[in-house]
Amino acid sequence: MRADAKKNYSQILTVAREAVTEHGADVSMRDIARRADVGLATLLRHFPTREGLFEALLCTNLDALTQKAAELEISNSSGEALVSWVRDWVVFAQSYRGVVAMMAAAHANPASALYASCAAVHSASARLLLRAQGEGAARADMNGDDLFALMTALGWAVDQPSFAPRADHLVRLMTSAILTDPPNNDVKKSKC
Amino acid sequence: MRADAKKNYSQILTVAREAVTEHGADVSMRDIARRADVGLATLLRHFPTREGLFEALLCTNLDALTQKAAELEISNSSGEALVSWVRDWVVFAQSYRGVVAMMAAAHANPASALYASCAAVHSASARLLLRAQGEGAARADMNGDDLFALMTALGWAVDQPSFAPRADHLVRLMTSAILTDPPNNDVKKSKC
DNA sequence: ACCTGAACACCGTTCAAGT
DNA sequence: ACCTGAACACCGTTCAAGT
């Protein structure tokens, strides 16, 4: 990689981070190129697809996420590990607006630059679920696909500005659907 | 409304239904105008916004949905009524691809042509939840906003092609998060 | 009243021409 | 090797000109 190419690459990533923070995952690629003082064609050769750009933008976050999964897999309580994992996922989902929708689409498209990352999240989820199910901490009647779908749905919801204020509570409600004995499910039934 | 205007209006709705069925809620307005053999400007005067067009496209579905809510409000079991309502919502959500995402955005924007419909769904949900909570059938620690968020998240999930196959199961999982004594929650704990 | 073509400012894709 | 401007086919918005 030539010196000027290297400089452009990092410059693009820097301004892309700003642009995506401001306008979400649907920012205009042209806008990013303009901010980076680079021709649009240059941006598109470094990152031929929008997903390619996001794979680079998110790689730190994704590494931290999968690293966390590895730690949780050998933690004490399999149930608490699963809840922590869902929380970490939600934090990741909030890194940039529109990221979850993009991941959901990439998950179904092996040609996407984000496919491998989606698969990693999916399989980490499946492993944590399986362990929790083995200990009876998680519902037995769901699989990794279900968990991934629920986590993605949750991530999408907290991404919506109107739902964001209730994000913490939505996480609690969602985890209570997954665990067999949810810690926050101590609802007092009315007498009638 | 003049005769030719009336003809254009219904012609637009007819072809819009086809186009949206094929390409989802993000179809090009130009494409719809072309199919209707109508100038783009004509389409945009009949329906100044995309949401305006969808308000017309969905009005039958939305009427059926709110009508169903009214019936469910006076039904026997408040818990079963809530589950039926969620199922009806999911069926509605599947009417066209991308509709739920549009409704979620419209819900936060009073200027949207779909805002009133969103509010109607929201308040119907809140009423059914409140009744179920009064009888102890639904969790006490959630409100109408939470239910609407969960329903929208569920609707969005089943809208994703990769999650659609598990739609029925996702509905069951989601309702089990809402009900205090879920009928499908008879999970046998493992012995260890 | 209602319709329409055209101009406008955007978008992402592609490629021949530059250094 | 790498960059770039320009042409291309799209999009939604707007409006003067038609009937």
Side-chain angles (χ1 to χ4, degrees):
Chain A
M1 189 128 119
R2 230 167 56 182
D4 55 345
K6 203 154 209 160
K7 209 192 71 178
N8 280 339
Y9 182 89
S10 63
Q11 173 68 5
I12 287 170
L13 276 187
T14 302
V15 303
R17 231 173 277 275
E18 297 170 9
V20 173
T21 300
E22 287 176 31
H23 301 298
D26 294 328
V27 216
S28 149
M29 297 293 265
R30 249 193 173 91
D31 186 30
I32 296 175
R34 272 192 295 257
R35 292 191 193 215
D37 267 320
V38 151
L40 174 58
T42 303
L43 165 58
L44 291 174
R45 201 171 34 76
H46 278 287
F47 305 103
T49 65
R50 183 178 297 272
E51 271 124 7
L53 174 59
F54 273 84
E55 206 267 330
L57 275 183
L58 294 169
C59 77
T60 309
N61 311 40
L62 281 165
D63 283 352
L65 190 66
T66 50
Q67 172 60 27
K68 193 70 186 302
E71 293 168 17
L72 286 170
E73 281 184 64
I74 54 172
S75 71
N76 288 337
S77 161
S78 62
E80 284 175 20
L82 194 52
V83 173
S84 292
W85 171 244
V86 173
R87 290 192 184 283
D88 290 334
W89 161 255
V90 167
V91 169
F92 166 79
Q94 287 170 328
S95 54
Y96 301 107
R97 258 177 306 144
V99 160
V100 179
M102 216 168 71
M103 300 265 303
H107 171 245
N109 175 22
S112 167
L114 278 173
Y115 181 76
S117 301
C118 290
V121 171
H122 183 111
S123 70
S125 304
R127 283 194 300 272
L128 284 162
L129 174 64
L130 211 59
R131 188 167 78 106
Q133 285 173 327
E135 295 185 7
R139 301 176 57 121
D141 64 340
M142 64 184 291
N143 62 25
D145 290 347
D146 297 323
L147 178 56
F148 187 73
L150 288 182
M151 285 171 59
T152 309
L154 177 61
W156 176 85
V158 303
D159 202 21
Q160 308 304 306
S162 55
F163 300 150
R166 306 284 293 177
D168 281 351
H169 200 53
L170 293 175
V171 172
R172 266 192 294 275
L173 290 168
M174 199 64 94
T175 52
S176 84
I178 298 166
L179 299 182
T180 51
D181 188 22
N184 298 89
N185 207 4
D186 48 15
V187 179
K188 285 167 194 131
K189 288 195 179 186
S190 72
K191 284 164 193 169
C192 52
Chain B
M1 191 128 122
R2 231 165 57 180
D4 54 346
K6 202 151 209 160
K7 209 190 72 180
N8 280 339
Y9 182 90
S10 63
Q11 173 68 3
I12 287 170
L13 277 187
T14 303
V15 302
R17 229 172 277 276
E18 295 170 12
V20 172
T21 300
E22 286 176 32
H23 302 299
D26 295 327
V27 218
S28 150
M29 297 291 266
R30 249 193 173 88
D31 187 29
I32 296 175
R34 273 191 294 260
R35 292 191 193 214
D37 266 318
V38 150
L40 174 57
T42 303
L43 166 59
L44 292 175
R45 201 171 36 75
H46 278 288
F47 305 103
T49 67
R50 184 178 296 273
E51 271 124 4
L53 174 60
F54 273 83
E55 206 267 329
L57 275 183
L58 293 169
C59 78
T60 310
N61 311 38
L62 281 164
D63 283 352
L65 192 65
T66 50
Q67 172 60 29
K68 193 74 186 298
E71 293 169 16
L72 287 169
E73 281 183 66
I74 53 171
S75 72
N76 288 337
S77 161
S78 62
E80 284 175 22
L82 194 51
V83 173
S84 292
W85 172 242
V86 174
R87 290 192 183 283
D88 290 334
W89 161 255
V90 167
V91 170
F92 166 79
Q94 288 171 326
S95 52
Y96 300 108
R97 259 178 305 143
V99 159
V100 179
M102 216 169 69
M103 300 265 304
H107 170 245
N109 174 22
S112 166
L114 277 172
Y115 182 75
S117 301
C118 290
V121 172
H122 183 112
S123 68
S125 304
R127 282 195 300 272
L128 284 162
L129 175 63
L130 210 60
R131 188 166 79 107
Q133 285 173 326
E135 295 185 7
R139 302 174 58 119
D141 64 341
M142 65 183 291
N143 61 26
D145 290 347
D146 297 323
L147 178 56
F148 187 71
L150 288 182
M151 284 171 57
T152 310
L154 177 61
W156 176 84
V158 303
D159 203 21
Q160 308 304 305
S162 55
F163 300 151
R166 305 285 292 177
D168 280 352
H169 201 52
L170 294 174
V171 172
R172 265 191 294 273
L173 291 168
M174 200 62 95
T175 52
S176 84
I178 298 165
L179 298 183
T180 51
D181 187 23
N184 297 89
N185 206 7
D186 48 16
V187 179
K188 286 165 197 137
K189 289 196 181 187
S190 73
K191 283 164 196 171
C192 50

